[in-house]
Amino acid sequence: ETGVTQTPRHLVMGMTNKKSLKCEQHLGHNAMYWYKQSAKKPLELMFVYNFKEQTENNSVPSRFSPECPNSSHLFLHLHTLQPEDSALYLCASSERQSSYNSPLHFGNGTRLTVT
Amino acid sequence: AQTVTQSQPEMSVQEAETVTLSCTYDTSESDYYLFWYKQPPSRQMILVIRQEAYKQQNATENRFSVNFQKAAKSFSLKISDSQLGDAAMYFCAYRSAEDNNNDMRFGAGTRLTVKP
């Protein structure tokens, strides 16, 4: 059983839709992350929240909007996406961002398809 | 910026045999951590093993061990007595212990197939 839960597991949306991805962690961690995983490419870090504060936004287009209401929950709001945004979106958590020896704990991901 | 390279997009191994997955990285730092993650079809990334750069002794976890060559910037994963459940994508990752921007950097992955 995973300590990081992501919903939905699959999502198909049109380019004009608005949807949200949800992530919840039950590990007492203080840092949460959104990664994008595309085929045959390294995982791309999108956003980092440390103690509910956004600490990184790696040049992600504004059609992706993160929200972190508390240390246990993380959302990724999606609107006006493009087909190239289709990918597996992974949420992860760690004790805190600066704990370099603390591994990331991942959820099962949301497989997003933009039509 | 640090980069992680996995030069083997796909590997296969016979059940009960041993396989080694390669990983190299580029860094000018001396203090960092290295990780191997496994991603089975369930899609959840699971930590397999980790290595601290200042430790010379190679990390081991049951059937999994690493060959850490700091000078060569190489961090290979050896899986002994391969099992069908080992079939997955394997990702090598680097995390700085010196930089405030110490986000984990991943390689592109190696798909491991285990043949019965």
Side-chain angles (χ1 to χ4, degrees), chain B residues 90-107:
Chain B
Y90 286 82
F91 294 91
C92 178
Y94 170 103
R95 195 171 199 183
S96 168
E98 299 180 7
D99 191 348
N100 284 334
N101 179 13
N102 63 347
D103 299 311
M104 201 169 285
R105 302 191 183 277
F106 291 83

Side-chain angles (χ1 to χ4, degrees), chain A residues 2-106:
Chain A
T2 176
V4 181
T5 304
Q6 287 187 245
T7 55
R9 190 162 173 81
H10 301 274
L11 177 62
V12 179
M13 58 186 290
M15 290 191 286
T16 58
N17 291 158
K18 291 184 179 181
K19 296 287 185 182
S20 296
L21 309 185
K22 179 182 177 182
C23 177
E24 183 175 0
Q25 58 96 0
H26 310 278
L27 300 169
H29 289 165
N30 293 298
M32 296 188 77
Y33 309 75
W34 279 118
Y35 281 89
K36 177 182 179 182
Q37 184 178 15
S38 304
K40 301 182 180 179
K41 293 176 64 177
L43 270 69
E44 301 172 52
L45 179 63
M46 300 175 71
F47 301 104
V48 182
Y49 278 83
N50 197 38
F51 292 92
K52 300 188 298 179
E53 298 295 322
Q54 184 175 325
T55 56
E56 281 196 49
N57 173 346
N58 283 352
S59 303
V60 179
S62 59
R63 58 185 183 269
F64 295 90
S65 174
E67 178 189 1
C68 188
N70 54 61
S71 292
S72 299
H73 293 85
L74 184 65
F75 296 89
L76 187 62
H77 304 299
L78 316 170
H79 65 95
T80 325
L81 295 191
Q82 305 298 311
E84 60 265 28
D85 297 323
S86 299
L88 181 67
Y89 289 84
L90 292 168
C91 174
S93 70
S94 68
E95 291 180 6
R96 57 185 184 279
Q97 186 181 9
S98 59
S99 295
Y100 47 81
N101 61 341
S102 172
L104 299 181
H105 295 255
F106 287 85

Side-chain angles (χ1 to χ4, degrees), chain B residues 6 9 33 49 58 71 89 93 108:
Chain B
Q6 294 180 249
Y33 280 76
I49 198 165
N58 288 325
M89 284 289 292

Side-chain angles (χ1 to χ4, degrees), chain B residues 16-88:
Chain B
E17 297 294 310
T18 295
V19 64
T20 299
L21 308 185
S22 300
C23 174
T24 58
Y25 55 94
D26 181 25
T27 186
S28 58
E29 299 174 338
S30 59
D31 196 10
Y32 48 86
Y33 280 76
L34 297 165
F35 305 82
W36 275 99
Y37 279 87
K38 168 186 177 181
Q39 186 180 38
S42 68
R43 305 185 323 209
Q44 186 190 9
M45 299 270 281
I46 303 165
L47 179 67
V48 174
I49 198 165
R50 58 179 152 175
Q51 174 79 39
E52 302 167 55
Y54 60 86
K55 286 189 176 180
Q56 292 185 336
Q57 186 174 6
N58 288 325
T60 62
E61 288 286 343
N62 299 314
R63 297 183 294 107
F64 298 86
S65 62
V66 298
N67 183 4
F68 174 48
Q69 301 289 326
K70 192 171 185 178
K73 297 178 184 175
S74 172
F75 182 60
S76 60
L77 174 70
K78 186 172 81 171
I79 306 174
S80 304
D81 186 25
S82 298
Q83 300 176 1
L84 295 178
D86 295 333

